[in-house]
Amino acid sequence: MALRRIAQLGHPVLREPTELVEPSEIGTEAVQRLIDDLIDTMREAQGAGLAANQIYERKRVCVMEVGNNPRYPYKPKIPLTVLINPVITPVGDATFESYEGCLSVPNLRGQVQRFAEVRVQALDRHGEPIDQVVRGISAGTFQHECDHLDGKLFIDHVTDPSTFCTWDNFDRYRRAAFVEHVGRVIALYGS
Ligand code: NI
């Protein structure tokens, strides 16, 4: 198990698009170790996901997992997912509002719009193709992680800066309404 440092806002690595992984590279020790380190570091930091450039590796690889996460107890579960070279395509125009935070943006949350339904095409850690449609809150998580791989952060999507808040003030002033809103999104989209 190797825990890696997580790049913080302002480090250029977070703003550079990552490089595609050659399919022949996926089985190498270097790429497999990168995936294991992403998983270990995400779990240790209690994140819902982590992208390779957040641990200073310029590769188009990200991981996601939501179980019983104390940082996001209202989030629907996502089984451990490894995406290599993901491409996200919106399915339809529907969007929903979400509150996001990020392990690379300390103590800040803000409200963003995300597509409610997206198609995700990628390779898994064995090089097998993934092609699935993800909906609702989980679709937001996939968009957040794939944005990282394009050098984008959730703060780029915040259109109303008055929604920015610390985690404490989120809990104090915004959380109750947001949890209700999440319930409506889950009822509509199933996740
Ligand atoms: Ni993030």
Side-chain angles (χ1 to χ4, degrees):
M1 165 159 171
L3 297 177
R4 307 276 292 264
R5 281 190 311 125
I6 298 177
Q8 298 294 291
L9 181 66
H11 196 290
V13 75
L14 295 172
R15 291 306 195 172
E16 291 158 9
T18 48
E19 292 161 12
L20 289 171
V21 177
E22 290 296 327
S24 61
E25 235 188 307
I26 293 174
T28 62
E29 205 192 323
V31 170
Q32 293 296 317
R33 193 185 318 122
L34 165 62
I35 292 167
D36 287 336
D37 288 357
L38 279 168
I39 294 168
D40 291 343
T41 306
M42 168 182 69
R43 286 176 172 166
E44 174 71 15
Q46 298 181 334
L50 196 63
N53 49 339
Q54 289 184 276
I55 60 168
Y56 304 90
E57 299 244 16
R58 293 161 174 82
K59 294 278 185 201
R60 199 165 175 83
V61 180
C62 65
V63 300
M64 271 162 281
E65 182 179 47
V66 179
N68 293 317
N69 189 327
R71 201 169 136 100
Y72 305 102
Y74 47 80
K75 257 183 188 287
K77 303 215 180 334
I78 300 177
L80 178 62
T81 302
V82 176
L83 300 179
I84 299 173
N85 300 343
V87 175
I88 293 238
T89 315
V91 178
D93 303 327
T95 61
F96 68 98
E97 282 173 358
S98 191
Y99 245 96
E100 293 187 6
C102 179
L103 295 173
S104 293
V105 182
N107 201 16
L108 194 67
R109 308 203 76 187
Q111 189 174 282
V112 299
Q113 291 281 128
R114 292 293 188 186
F115 287 107
E117 220 171 322
V118 294
R119 180 179 181 190
V120 183
Q121 293 163 285
L123 298 174
D124 70 12
R125 71 178 301 167
H126 310 292
E128 297 296 324
I130 294 172
D131 188 347
Q132 62 180 117
V133 172
V134 187
R135 298 182 178 83
I137 302 295
S138 298
T141 305
F142 276 71
Q143 287 165 83
H144 177 117
E145 296 313 323
C146 292
D147 267 359
H148 273 301
L149 301 175
D150 293 326
K152 292 187 210 145
L153 298 170
F154 82 89
I155 51 176
D156 307 348
H157 294 285
V158 174
T159 51
D160 178 356
S162 74
T163 66
F164 277 125
C165 55
T166 63
W167 282 71
D168 274 354
N169 282 336
F170 175 80
D171 284 347
R172 194 173 301 169
Y173 299 111
R174 309 245 181 194
R175 187 193 160 97
F178 181 61
V179 169
E180 264 184 46
H181 170 73
V182 166
R184 288 192 291 272
V185 173
I186 293 172
L188 200 55
Y189 297 108
S191 59

